[in-house]
Amino acid sequence: MNIRILSHRGAALVRLFVVSVVMLACLTLSGLHSRAQAGDNSSMIAPKMKTKGQAVPASIVSTVERLIAMTKNPSATFRQQDAAALLDFVGTEKSFDETELPERDGAQGVCVRSSIDAPLSRILQYGYNPDIPPYVVLPSVVRVSSWYPDSDMLRHRPKLWEAVDETESPVVLRGREFEQITPDSFSGAYYSYDLSRLLIVTSIDGRAALISVSLQDGPSSVGKKGGILDDATWDYVYSGEEGLTKGGIGWMDTYMYDSAAVSVYVENPEPGTGTSSMVFKWLRAGWAGMNVVRAKHIIAGCHRFSDAFREIIESDALPAPTTIAAKVREYMAMTNEELQALVSGYAQRLARRWQDHPLMERDIFARLFKNDRFAAELSREERISVLMKQYIRSIIEPGSVS
């Protein structure tokens, strides 16, 4: 009996080891595939790490940590001088594009630098507008998202873009947000979770700045099977079934255990030259409590986020924020039947366009396009999200959604 028990335990350990290796391999490929989707010609090579942590001083990391801690402490007061060094670092540091950070509670961390050819006021008008859901400007990474009712963004409905010229006193907003992401670019899994949020509009040397902080509240829902038909046009499928889409490991129950991010935007010194940005992000995710995330995986996700966001914000064809907000209200005023009819039309176009896509050969996704199940199985918010993403896509790239 003891020998049999030991044999079972040994087999379990072997299985655990094999699963860990498979998951790590999947996530490694995920990082590579994300870069390929973003148009990186070197997608067969893992994202290069310019440095291994020394580019971000310990004092800057400590400041970022304090900002994350503020999301859980409503009585904590933000003082401009406490973040001055961080804002200066973001606005002036040019020696790296991406680098690793020290682990945080077992989560792997990275810092990724980028720039946006737009003033901060434009970023705030579209990206931090209470009348425009976040998924509208984050179509490649966010499926649906919404602020909880007691959040400052809904209670006060601030016009943060008007605060950029009045940053003598920082504007500080708190709240909680629900978020469901789009499918991972290799495993196909998608997850839902809550976030504690902190938004700060402030300044450094006369330049407007934004600090956006998020901290995941507990583990995510179990991963569900989804797929990417085309990242460039934000065409995705969601099965609603638990597991991973990747063959051979579809049975796995995976979770996002913990995540934290601090995104910092600082306008460039020369007026009209855009905004510098850095994201400090940590992620712990995997199977059976194991963290299989590596720095290159997070970096790939950051690029997937920033590429679509920048494409939208920098587009000359983008309608005014009030026009986009009016379109959101138009869809929100529709009945469920009206929304379903519109989404059904989108599903038919999707089926025609991607009829030869490998995902369409799988029953789990093929069934979505039979008997109008694609539209019927979506929630009201999911339908509006699909329609808004296609609305934006059709404007910034006419003909791409026909």
Side-chain angles (χ1 to χ4, degrees):
M1 179 64 71
N2 290 338
I3 292 176
R4 186 177 301 162
I5 291 173
L6 289 174
S7 297
H8 288 324
R9 288 177 178 173
L13 288 173
V14 170
R15 187 183 187 200
L16 183 62
F17 172 76
V18 171
V19 168
S20 300
V21 171
V22 172
M23 279 294 290
L24 180 57
C26 289
L27 284 174
T28 299
L29 288 172
S30 175
L32 301 182
H33 190 69
S34 291
R35 293 299 290 267
Q37 292 285 355
D40 186 350
N41 293 327
S42 60
S43 59
M44 294 305 294
I45 303 174
K48 295 180 179 179
M49 300 302 298
K50 299 297 180 63
T51 58
K52 291 295 182 181
Q54 65 269 27
V56 181
S59 60
I60 298 299
V61 176
S62 295
T63 299
V64 170
E65 288 277 10
R66 287 195 295 272
L67 288 167
I68 294 173
M70 284 182 64
T71 64
K72 289 295 188 181
N73 183 6
S75 63
T77 302
F78 173 81
R79 299 182 304 173
Q80 283 182 304
Q81 58 266 37
D82 293 338
L86 170 63
L87 297 176
D88 183 67
F89 181 77
V90 172
T92 61
E93 177 59 50
K94 307 294 183 184
S95 67
F96 71 92
D97 292 325
E98 54 208 30
T99 184
E100 294 184 31
L101 295 172
E103 286 191 1
R104 179 182 182 278
D105 296 333
Q108 178 68 56
V110 303
C111 176
V112 178
R113 183 175 68 88
S114 62
S115 61
I116 301 176
D117 187 16
L120 183 60
S121 59
R122 182 175 173 87
I123 294 171
L124 290 169
Q125 280 182 303
Y126 291 96
Y128 297 85
N129 187 327
D131 295 322
I132 300 178
Y135 56 73
V136 174
V137 292
L138 304 175
S140 64
V141 293
V142 178
R143 184 190 188 188
V144 292
S145 55
S146 57
W147 291 95
Y148 282 97
D150 58 348
S151 300
D152 289 342
M153 186 65 79
L154 295 185
R155 291 172 57 218
H156 305 303
R157 308 195 69 80
K159 296 181 179 180
L160 294 176
W161 52 95
E162 295 180 352
V164 296
D165 296 324
E166 303 173 2
T167 50
E168 297 265 337
S169 298
V171 176
V172 180
L173 301 175
R174 297 178 178 275
R176 292 179 69 248
E177 192 173 17
F178 167 80
E179 187 170 271
Q180 183 180 112
I181 60 173
T182 60
D184 172 78
S185 57
F186 182 77
S187 71
Y190 59 99
Y191 305 86
S192 302
Y193 46 82
D194 289 336
L195 297 169
S196 292
R197 295 296 311 275
L198 174 68
L199 298 176
I200 302 168
V201 178
T202 182
S203 64
I204 176 73
D205 296 331
R207 291 179 285 158
L210 167 70
I211 302 173
S212 176
V213 187
S214 66
L215 178 64
Q216 187 174 320
D217 288 342
S220 71
S221 63
V222 65
K224 296 182 179 180
K225 299 177 182 180
I228 299 173
L229 295 174
D230 185 21
D231 235 359
T233 53
W234 316 322
D235 289 334
Y236 309 107
V237 285
Y238 303 85
S239 73
E241 295 186 15
E242 296 180 0
L244 303 178
T245 307
K246 180 65 179 175
I249 56 173
W251 53 270
M252 283 185 176
D253 288 340
T254 58
Y255 298 86
M256 287 176 55
Y257 297 113
D258 184 32
S259 67
V262 176
S263 299
V264 184
Y265 301 84
V266 180
E267 283 193 323
N268 295 334
E270 303 80 11
T273 59
T275 302
S276 295
S277 173
M278 279 188 193
V279 59
F280 303 80
K281 185 173 179 64
W282 286 265
L283 177 61
R284 183 167 65 89
W287 177 86
M290 297 181 298
N291 179 37
V292 295
V293 175
R294 297 296 178 262
K296 58 189 173 185
H297 310 142
I298 310 174
I299 288 172
C302 289
H303 284 293
R304 190 181 179 199
F305 164 96
S306 62
D307 287 347
F309 184 64
R310 188 164 50 240
E311 179 187 12
I312 292 172
I313 296 298
E314 293 181 354
S315 174
D316 293 334
L318 191 64
T322 52
T323 301
I324 296 177
K327 194 66 176 180
V328 173
R329 291 194 297 272
E330 177 185 332
Y331 286 138
M332 292 181 67
M334 290 184 178
T335 65
N336 289 331
E337 291 73 21
E338 290 171 328
L339 291 173
Q340 182 170 337
L342 291 176
V343 175
S344 294
Y346 163 72
Q348 292 169 11
R349 295 191 298 273
L350 207 63
R352 288 195 302 269
R353 173 181 290 181
W354 302 113
Q355 59 183 329
D356 297 325
H357 195 286
L359 285 176
M360 292 299 203
E361 299 176 359
R362 303 186 58 172
D363 289 342
I364 192 175
F365 298 120
R367 70 170 182 81
L368 295 175
F369 298 91
K370 297 177 181 178
N371 302 319
D372 201 29
R373 294 183 67 172
F374 185 100
E377 294 185 3
L378 297 183
S379 69
R380 182 177 178 83
E381 186 175 14
E382 289 164 357
R383 292 171 184 170
I384 294 174
S385 173
V386 164
L387 295 172
M388 283 303 304
K389 289 181 180 184
Q390 291 305 294
Y391 166 73
I392 296 295
R393 183 81 256 164
S394 68
I395 290 176
I396 66 175
E397 188 182 357
S400 63
V401 298
S402 59

